[in-house]
Amino acid sequence: MLRENGTTSAFDLWPQWLTAASVVGKIKFDTEKCQILIAVTILAVSLGLVAGWTSPYLAKFTHKETEIHITEDEASWIASFLPMGRLFGAICGSLSLEYFGSKVSLVITGLPLMIGWICMIFATTAVGFYVFRILTGASMGMFFTCFPIFIGEISTARIRGALIGLVINGLPIGTVIGNIMGPQISYKWFGVISLLLTSIFLLTFPCLPKSPYYLIRHNSMENAAKSIYFYHRKSNVTEEIKEIKIFIEETRVSTLRQRFKLMAEPNNRNAFLIVVSLFFFMQIGGLNSIVFYMEIIIRKAKVTFISPSSVVIIVTSIGIIYGWLGIYAIDRYGRKLLLIISCSSISIGMMTIGTHFLLLTHGYNSEMLQPLPVISMIMFMMICFGLTSVPSTLLSELFPVTLKSIAGFISSFTSALFAFISTKTFQPLVDLLTLPYVFFIYGSITILCIFYTIFYVPETKGKTLKEIQVLLKNRNRHADRRSQTDED
């Protein structure tokens, strides 16, 4: 439950070996509340399986000896239809948030994912895989729109970042599982297993109560009290309802025109710019392109001392470890530090693998260079340490209640758009510029993100949603004063 007084929530942890020491110190274990986190994380793992499906099966299907053969152009479209589907999901997620709230919207998110897995099981041509990717992409777009809002509304300021990090790390877990299953089983059995996991989410998550914020906004005070009690049994329910009502009233608007007017206010406008910019750096910096084409990249890098599929499994597994470390650090050392460390490692990794391919084109011995692409991919996976989780965390923090659905839509839509552009242009850019210079571009983009983080991203660690709004307003006042001073 969302407590804006900064006290520790009983909303509990998902006890994993790497994060137990960090989270137990802050949150008391509660089996009922653990159900929430596990349920949302199951959905994230299911979506991670969609991403993990891509690399092994594109590598399989582009080889003529497999049961299904696709061309490189068709493979490019299969990779690109996932972020294209996210564009539709962002729209649907925003509308669903507005009318049904974050909890019901997450339930709806699982439906196109389930249908997508069914389509993939029965697919025999590239067209069947196109439909599968569009539907699962729509689920992914809805997920990124809705889940940060849901977690933001049921969690405390002290652990909000860690909880979002726990959920978002379900994606690389699913990706690793997909990378492991892909080389071993047929795509049909992959779909059956993934469908079962999605079904578990759809059977368990609807049993949870809606967030107290949604219920109070719709004047359902009795259910709101039950929701508060469920998400934090030790809270003063009456006081919680009063605090939430005050926060909602302070940010309430009634018409679409008023919302657009609220969006135009400097603090909200800057919040949109910050979140959208971080999603831009994450996607245009090569996230989907590298993950989807990783096995193919490793093959082109002439790595032979270990199989390319094994490299993908090892690298994505290390990404999970980075993600858990990020969970440990995000509410201790802040959002900005995680972004800076993450982007620094990504840029070094991209520059390194670009140099590797440049050396190959100049005739250097590939045997001596084999460790470079593996090390580069390991460094790239530091994206899981901060650049994948921090934008979603800020999305849940920077906006008033009445703008959350619009903020979720704009952020998810633009992220999906950037992901589609990045994924669809990867192969054409490789054909035009060659691999070394594509990686140099990715590295340069993430270097820009470092400077953007230092100078423009606010630090929200440990602050309540109300305190963050005050912080943004104060930043704008200081900026206005500086501009007036410069003019004088």
Side-chain angles (χ1 to χ4, degrees):
M1 83 108 252
L2 179 61
R3 297 187 53 121
E4 293 305 327
N5 57 11
T7 59
T8 304
S9 169
F11 179 56
D12 204 274
L13 72 130
W14 184 19
Q16 296 287 343
W17 64 273
L18 189 58
T19 52
S22 67
V23 184
V24 167
K26 297 195 296 183
I27 318 169
K28 294 182 180 179
F29 186 79
D30 189 322
T31 303
E32 284 186 341
K33 311 313 176 290
C34 186
Q35 177 189 355
I36 306 161
L37 190 57
I38 292 176
V40 181
T41 305
I42 285 174
L43 179 59
V45 171
S46 300
L47 291 168
L49 285 169
V50 178
W53 178 94
T54 316
S55 181
Y57 286 104
L58 287 188
K60 279 185 179 182
F61 295 158
T62 50
H63 278 66
K64 294 183 179 180
E65 64 268 17
T66 56
E67 54 185 312
I68 294 177
H69 176 68
I70 60 173
T71 65
E72 286 192 355
D73 184 61
E74 288 172 332
S76 174
W77 279 110
I78 289 173
S80 303
F81 273 128
L82 182 70
M84 181 181 286
R86 284 183 59 185
L87 296 173
F88 299 107
I91 298 171
C92 296
S94 178
L95 293 172
S96 182
L97 273 176
E98 186 66 27
Y99 291 103
F100 304 116
S102 56
K103 184 251 180 174
V104 174
S105 297
L106 279 173
V107 176
I108 296 172
T109 296
L111 298 178
L113 181 61
M114 181 176 65
I115 298 170
W117 287 124
I118 293 172
C119 290
M120 195 270 284
I121 292 170
F122 294 100
T124 56
T125 64
V127 175
F129 294 114
Y130 294 164
V131 176
F132 154 62
R133 298 288 282 185
I134 290 173
L135 287 171
T136 53
S139 279
M140 193 170 289
M142 291 186 69
F143 175 76
F144 282 111
T145 301
C146 302
F147 104 86
I149 308 304
F150 177 73
I151 297 297
E153 289 182 343
I154 65 168
S155 60
T156 67
R158 187 180 176 190
I159 60 169
R160 188 187 307 119
L163 292 180
I164 289 176
L166 280 166
V167 173
I168 206 89
N169 272 280
L171 291 167
I173 290 174
T175 302
V176 171
I177 295 172
N179 289 332
I180 293 172
M181 291 197 304
Q184 310 299 327
I185 61 177
S186 71
Y187 70 92
K188 292 181 182 292
W189 276 111
F190 190 107
V192 170
I193 294 169
S194 303
L195 180 60
L196 288 174
L197 191 62
T198 305
S199 300
I200 291 172
F201 166 78
L202 288 172
L203 290 173
T204 57
F205 192 74
C207 301
L208 302 176
K210 296 178 181 178
S211 81
Y213 269 61
Y214 173 83
L215 294 168
I216 291 174
R217 284 201 306 274
H218 290 79
N219 296 314
S220 182
M221 297 303 171
E222 183 178 349
N223 288 329
K226 293 177 181 178
S227 176
I228 291 171
Y229 180 72
F230 180 86
Y231 289 122
H232 189 224
R233 295 186 182 277
K234 295 183 179 180
S235 68
N236 184 324
V237 175
T238 304
E239 190 64 28
E240 285 294 336
I241 291 176
K242 182 179 177 181
E243 289 180 10
I244 295 173
K245 286 179 68 175
I246 291 172
F247 182 74
I248 290 174
E249 289 299 327
E250 287 179 349
T251 57
R252 185 185 294 275
V253 292
S254 57
T255 66
L256 186 62
R257 183 178 179 181
Q258 286 178 312
R259 294 192 183 194
F260 280 115
K261 185 177 180 181
L262 187 62
M263 286 173 59
E265 292 182 1
N267 54 309
N268 294 322
R269 187 174 63 243
N270 289 340
F272 275 110
L273 179 62
I274 289 165
V275 174
V276 169
S277 297
L278 290 178
F279 279 118
F280 169 84
F281 289 122
M282 178 175 70
Q283 298 294 354
I284 301 298
L287 169 61
N288 283 322
S289 301
I290 303 299
V291 172
F292 292 168
Y293 289 99
M294 189 178 295
E295 186 169 336
I296 295 173
I297 291 169
I298 296 299
R299 285 182 179 177
K300 290 184 177 180
K302 298 183 178 179
V303 174
T304 57
F305 73 95
I306 184 173
S307 68
S309 60
S310 298
V311 173
V312 174
I313 293 169
I314 293 169
V315 167
T316 49
S317 298
I318 292 173
I320 294 176
I321 297 174
Y322 289 152
W324 294 119
L325 291 173
I327 294 167
Y328 176 88
I330 191 167
D331 285 320
R332 284 172 169 76
Y333 305 109
R335 285 63 164 146
K336 295 183 70 167
L337 181 61
L338 263 67
L339 281 173
I340 292 169
I341 294 173
S342 183
C343 290
S344 298
S345 180
I346 295 166
S347 59
I348 295 171
M350 291 297 93
M351 294 298 181
T352 302
I353 196 168
T355 303
H356 170 84
F357 279 105
L358 195 62
L359 291 173
L360 287 182
T361 59
H362 285 83
Y364 282 81
N365 187 350
S366 61
E367 292 290 331
M368 296 177 60
L369 299 174
Q370 284 194 59
L372 281 181
V374 179
I375 294 170
S376 300
M377 290 295 102
I378 291 173
M379 297 189 72
F380 171 81
M381 290 310 294
M382 275 292 285
I383 196 169
C384 299
F385 182 70
L387 193 52
T388 56
S389 60
V390 171
S392 295
T393 301
L394 293 177
L395 174 60
S396 74
E397 296 176 328
L398 295 183
F399 301 97
V401 173
T402 47
L403 289 184
K404 284 186 181 292
S405 60
I406 297 176
F409 161 67
I410 292 176
S411 300
S412 184
F413 186 87
T414 53
S415 177
L417 180 62
F418 298 145
F420 174 75
I421 293 170
S422 177
T423 306
K424 192 66 187 79
T425 58
F426 177 76
Q427 190 60 49
L429 281 175
V430 170
D431 296 337
L432 179 66
L433 303 175
T434 69
L435 273 172
Y437 297 101
V438 173
F439 290 123
F440 290 152
I441 291 172
Y442 289 162
S444 300
I445 289 170
T446 49
I447 289 172
L448 290 176
C449 186
I450 297 172
F451 292 101
Y452 184 83
T453 299
I454 293 171
F455 294 108
Y456 292 104
V457 175
E459 182 54 73
T460 58
K461 175 176 72 81
K463 292 181 172 62
T464 66
L465 300 183
K466 189 172 182 178
E467 290 170 344
I468 291 168
Q469 290 300 306
V470 173
L471 170 67
L472 292 173
K473 290 177 182 178
N474 289 338
R475 280 165 58 96
N476 286 308
R477 289 196 190 101
H478 293 322
D480 291 341
R481 288 172 185 170
R482 284 198 300 268
S483 62
Q484 289 176 1
T485 303
D486 293 339
E487 290 175 2
D488 294 340

